[in-house]
């Protein structure tokens, strides 16, 4: 919900603000001011790492996925260092007790990595749906009141998060999914794009329409917490796509699940 306010600004500053109006993503002065304020307020940006769900489902070869080694370090170390590189200084990690305990042994409070880590324990709940990712994320409802980045605990990446972040802030979408191509799109969330809008999201379809898939990384606004449903992939994302409230950001950079890389 937006509120109308009145402010007085220097003429030169107004001219600078107006220079951001491109007639496309930013159509007027009001949107330009909102965009710049969001960017300024979020300089110490927030990220969320989802490591929820039953512990056994997170294990590969007896090791939790975020602790699988890649290039000599645990995947979760690569993730946190990359987030810090792009100025995500406040990072929430959500998971069951044993998962968080093992992650803490590697990361501690985050001070050695130049970030502030906040561990949020997820309690087992019933009934368990196919993927309770939305239920897990909603544990942060009320804690996060500004746009944030969210990623799954087993996703390694190397692309420009600044570009993704600025793209999301300029959209009117509730969430912006990072989209990549896959030779096996039926194994992931298959995405249909029209311009920058995702118009259809189908998790693990029997027959995929194209090779575009959800990478496991997305930027979101706090409005996502109020969306009904326990699963992002099976409920929230498909519904937002139908409402044209889901954007897609296509990347060509590196983004892969660690268990595919650590065989």
């Amino acid at each position: 919900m937006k509120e109308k306010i009145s402010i007085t600004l220097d003429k030169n500053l107004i001219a600078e603000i107006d220079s951001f109006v491109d007639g496309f993503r930013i159509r007027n002065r009001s949107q330009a001011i909102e965009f710049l304020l969001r960017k300024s307020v979020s300089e110490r940006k927030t990220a969320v790492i989802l490591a929820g769900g039953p512990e056994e489902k997170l294990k590969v070869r007896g090791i939790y996925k975020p602790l699988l080694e890649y290039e000599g370090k645990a995947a979760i170390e690569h993730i946190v260092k990359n987030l810090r590189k792009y100025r995500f200084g406040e990072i929430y990690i959500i998971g069951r007790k044993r998962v968080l305990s093992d992650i803490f042994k590697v990361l501690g409070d985050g001070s050695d990595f130049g970030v502030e880590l906040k561990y949020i324990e997820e309690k087992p709940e019933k009934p368990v749906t196919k993927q309770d990712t939305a239920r897990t994320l909603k544990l942060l409802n009320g804690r996060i009141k500004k746009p944030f980045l969210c990623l799954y605990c087993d996703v390694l990446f190397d692309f420009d998060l600044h570009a993704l972040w600025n793209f999301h802030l300029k959209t009117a979408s509730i969430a912006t999914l990072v989209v990549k191509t896959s030779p096996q799109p039926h194994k992931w969330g298959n995405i249909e794009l029209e311009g920058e809008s995702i118009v259809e999201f189908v998790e693990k379809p029997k027959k995929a329409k194209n090779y575009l898939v959800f990478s496991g990384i997305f930027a979101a606004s706090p409005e996502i917490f109020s969306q009904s449903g326990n699963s992002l992939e099976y409920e929230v994302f498909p519904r937002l796509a139908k409402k044209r409230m889901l954007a897609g950001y296509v990347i060509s950079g590196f983004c892969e699940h660690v268990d595919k890389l650590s065989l």
Side-chain angles (χ1 to χ4, degrees), residues 1-20:
M1 185 172 138
K2 295 189 178 184
E3 183 177 343
K4 189 174 182 179
I5 63 171
S6 176
I7 58 175
T8 303
L9 299 174
D10 178 80
K11 286 185 178 181
N12 292 329
L13 180 57
I14 292 174
E16 287 187 46
I17 290 170
D18 287 344
S19 69
F20 282 85

Side-chain angles (χ1 to χ4, degrees), residues 46-50 92-94 118 120 135-145 148 225:
T46 299
V48 176
I49 299 174
L50 297 179
Y92 290 88
I93 304 178
I94 313 176
K118 299 179 180 181
I120 307 298
R135 179 187 282 176
T136 300
L137 182 61
K138 287 176 184 177
L139 291 175
L140 295 178
N141 189 13
R143 293 175 183 259
I144 298 179
K145 300 180 180 180
F148 63 96
F225 296 124

Side-chain angles (χ1 to χ4, degrees), residues 30 46 51 66 68-69 72 125 127 130 138 140 149 159 162 166 173 203 208 221 237 258:
S30 178
T46 299
L68 288 172
E69 283 200 5
E125 290 190 46
K130 289 184 178 179
K138 287 176 184 177
L140 295 178
L149 184 75
F159 63 90
H162 286 320
N166 290 337
S173 300
E203 179 69 7
S221 300
F237 291 158
V258 66

Side-chain angles (χ1 to χ4, degrees), residues 185-256:
H186 60 284
K187 291 186 175 182
W188 312 100
N190 192 215
I191 285 169
E192 186 176 353
L193 272 173
E194 284 186 9
E196 297 171 351
S197 295
I198 295 175
V199 296
E200 187 175 44
F201 184 103
V202 182
E203 179 69 7
K204 297 179 180 177
K206 292 182 179 179
K207 186 176 181 181
K209 289 186 176 181
N210 54 49
Y211 294 97
L212 296 177
V213 300
F214 173 44
S215 66
I217 300 176
F218 65 95
S221 300
E223 288 85 352
I224 199 166
F225 296 124
S226 63
Q227 302 301 307
S228 62
N230 291 328
S231 172
L232 293 171
E233 296 84 358
Y234 288 96
E235 298 173 273
V236 177
F237 291 158
R239 191 183 310 116
L240 290 179
K242 288 181 180 179
K243 294 179 180 179
R244 298 296 181 98
M245 295 300 293
L246 196 63
Y249 183 80
V250 183
I251 62 164
S252 59
F254 171 71
C255 187
E256 190 57 82

